[in-house]
Amino acid sequence: MKWTLHRAQTTFESHRALWDDLNRRSSDSVLLESRFVATLLRYFGNEKIYLAVHGDPARPALALVEQRRFGAWQTFQPSQSPLGMIVVADSDNAAALMRSLIRSLPGFVLECTILQQDPFVSSFASAQESGTVEVQKYIETARVTIQGTFQEYWKSRGREVVENVTKKLRRLERDGIRLELQVVRDPGAIEAAIREYGRLESTGWKGKAGTAVEGDNEQGQFYRDLLLAYSQDGHGAVYQLQFNGRTVASKLTIDRNGMIVFLKTAYDEEFKNLSPGYLLQYEMLKSIFEGGVYQSVEFYGRVLVGWTDRWSSEMRSMFHVTFYRQPWVRLALNALKAVASRLPQ
C-alpha cells in the first residue's frame, strides 16, 4: 500500500488518535504526542507541509514532511522540536516504508531525510549505511538517570560545579537571601509563568536580538499553549527559582512515563554573579531525585562543554538518516558536494 498525502494544517486534527496510537506502539515519546505536534503545526506550520499516511493496517505509519529543495524532502523540523516528526509502528520495516514514501511524494524525488533521531526511541535506530541509506551524526545530547540518592549523584559530579554551587549557596545565606524553588503546574497560573519566563529571557542576548520568548509574541504563545496542553493532566510545569520571592531563573518542562524533558531555561542577567541558572539546575535535580516520580531527565540539546557535562556523564549521539531513490543518486550528490566544497567562497 502506498502513502497518501494531505495538507497537514487542515487534516492533522483528524489523525491525532492514530498518531498517538502509533507513538505509544513505537517510541512512546512525550515529544511526539499529538498535542506537541499539533501546537507546532499551529504556530510554525504552513501550507507546504504534508501529513503522509501509510494506511496499511499491518504497517501503519504517519509523518510530517516538507520539500527542502528540488528532489529533496525531509521531516518537518521547527527549531522548537527536538525530534523529527514521524511515528512508525513496525521499526523492522522502517527502511521499506521510506522507500515507499519516496515513490509516493510528488515530483521526481531523489532523497528523503528523517531528521533529529534519538537512538533511545527512534524506529530508525538500527538503520545501516548502504548505497541508498546515509546515517549522519547530528549532535551529542545528555540525560541524567535517577538512581540512588541525590547525595550520591552530587558526589559524582566534578569539583568545579560542586564548589561553584556551594559557594553561591553560602553567599546567599550570608547576604540574607532566601532561596526557594516553585513549581507551577496549575493551568490557571501557566500564562503568568510564561510571561515571567519571557521577562527573564528578555534581559539577556535573546532580548537584544529580538528572539526572546514573550507573552504576546509567537514564541511566547507557542510555549503558553504547549504548557497549558500538558498541564491539563499534570504533565507540564514551569520551575521557578526565587530570591526573597523574586523569580530569577525559570525552566519550562514536560514529562511522561517517568521522564522529564527540559525544554528551555532563562535567568535574570541582573543576578548573573549569583549563578541563578546553576542554582536552578541544582535545586531542580535535587527535587527530582527526592520526589521519587521520575526515572530520567532529558536535556535534548547540544552538549555544552562547561555546562551539560557538569551535570551529566550520560551522552549519546542523535542522528539524521537519509534515504536515496537509487545508489547512483547518493554517489552523484556526494560528488557534487565535494566539488562545491572546493570552490572559492
Side-chain angles (χ1 to χ4, degrees):
M1 182 178 289
K2 292 185 177 181
W3 295 73
T4 58
L5 300 177
H6 313 268
R7 297 290 182 182
Q9 285 187 308
T10 56
T11 60
F12 183 76
E13 194 66 26
S14 63
H15 289 79
R16 283 184 61 167
L18 177 58
W19 184 285
D20 283 330
D21 178 60
L22 294 181
N23 180 41
R24 285 190 294 269
R25 291 163 60 185
S26 53
S27 66
D28 203 17
S29 170
V30 66
L31 295 169
L32 289 175
E33 289 186 22
S34 69
R35 53 183 163 178
F36 194 101
V37 178
T39 311
L40 287 166
L41 273 173
R42 183 159 65 251
Y43 283 99
F44 309 111
N46 58 60
E47 71 281 357
K48 296 179 181 180
I49 299 164
Y50 288 90
L51 174 65
V53 180
H54 193 264
D56 185 346
R59 295 188 300 168
L62 293 170
L64 292 176
V65 294
E66 59 184 336
Q67 188 170 12
R68 184 172 79 249
R69 61 174 186 273
F70 175 78
W73 288 69
Q74 65 183 30
T75 47
F76 173 50
Q77 196 64 61
S79 61
Q80 293 78 11
S81 175
L83 299 179
M85 277 169 278
I86 182 168
V87 284
V88 178
D90 183 6
S91 59
D92 292 337
N93 288 296
L97 285 168
M98 290 308 302
R99 289 193 291 271
S100 174
L101 178 59
I102 285 175
R103 294 191 296 271
S104 300
L105 291 168
F108 186 69
V109 179
L110 299 174
E111 64 179 76
C112 186
T113 301
I114 308 301
L115 294 170
Q116 297 182 202
Q117 295 296 286
D118 176 359
F120 283 178
V121 301
S122 175
S123 296
F124 300 89
S126 60
Q128 299 293 318
E129 287 273 347
S130 70
T132 57
V133 180
E134 181 178 12
V135 180
Q136 305 155 289
K137 182 177 177 181
Y138 168 48
I139 60 169
E140 290 285 308
T141 192
R143 72 161 34 173
V144 173
T145 299
I146 309 302
Q147 292 179 336
T149 67
F150 177 73
Q151 288 71 27
E152 291 169 336
Y153 160 78
W154 194 234
K155 286 179 181 178
S156 73
R157 306 324 306 151
R159 184 181 67 180
E160 190 169 359
V161 66
V162 172
E163 289 183 348
N164 186 23
V165 169
T166 301
K167 186 167 84 172
K168 300 305 181 186
L169 289 174
R170 287 174 178 167
R171 180 174 174 182
L172 291 178
E173 184 178 6
R174 184 179 67 246
D175 294 344
I177 298 174
R178 176 173 50 84
L179 181 150
E180 187 176 5
L181 180 69
Q182 294 283 344
V183 184
V184 180
R185 293 189 183 276
D186 181 2
I190 287 293
E191 185 167 0
I194 294 295
R195 288 190 177 276
E196 184 70 354
Y197 179 94
R199 180 189 68 80
L200 297 174
E201 200 165 79
S202 66
T203 68
W205 66 268
K206 290 185 179 180
K208 297 180 179 66
T211 60
V213 168
E214 296 180 7
D216 56 356
N217 68 5
E218 188 176 56
Q219 284 267 71
Q221 292 170 6
F222 166 74
Y223 282 108
R224 177 201 64 200
D225 286 359
L226 183 70
L227 268 295
L228 278 173
Y230 277 88
S231 66
Q232 296 299 321
D233 56 1
H235 292 293
V238 180
Y239 286 74
Q240 298 177 329
L241 185 75
Q242 297 183 346
F243 290 170
N244 290 339
R246 175 175 175 176
T247 300
V248 296
S250 180
K251 195 182 293 285
L252 312 182
T253 72
I254 57 176
D255 65 80
R256 180 178 174 179
N257 294 338
M259 180 181 76
I260 182 169
V261 178
F262 292 171
L263 295 176
K264 285 182 73 66
T265 305
Y267 66 89
D268 194 329
E269 291 279 348
E270 181 181 340
F271 296 91
K272 187 175 181 178
N273 63 327
L274 292 172
S275 302
Y278 267 89
L279 293 178
L280 173 62
Q281 190 91 337
Y282 171 83
E283 292 293 335
M284 282 188 67
L285 287 169
K286 182 180 178 182
S287 173
I288 288 168
F289 267 88
E290 293 175 350
V293 174
Y294 303 113
Q295 286 80 57
S296 66
V297 174
E298 289 289 357
F299 289 70
Y300 273 124
R302 189 182 303 275
V303 168
L304 301 177
V305 176
W307 171 255
T308 317
D309 56 348
R310 293 181 179 176
W311 303 100
S312 171
S313 302
E314 303 174 68
M315 314 299 178
R316 66 187 184 278
S317 295
M318 296 182 67
F319 64 95
H320 311 307
V321 55
T322 299
F323 294 85
Y324 295 92
R325 192 180 192 97
Q326 296 290 342
W328 67 263
V329 174
R330 180 179 180 182
L331 291 173
L333 290 175
N334 285 341
L336 288 173
K337 291 176 185 176
V339 171
S341 68
R342 290 194 288 268
L343 295 175
Q345 300 298 313

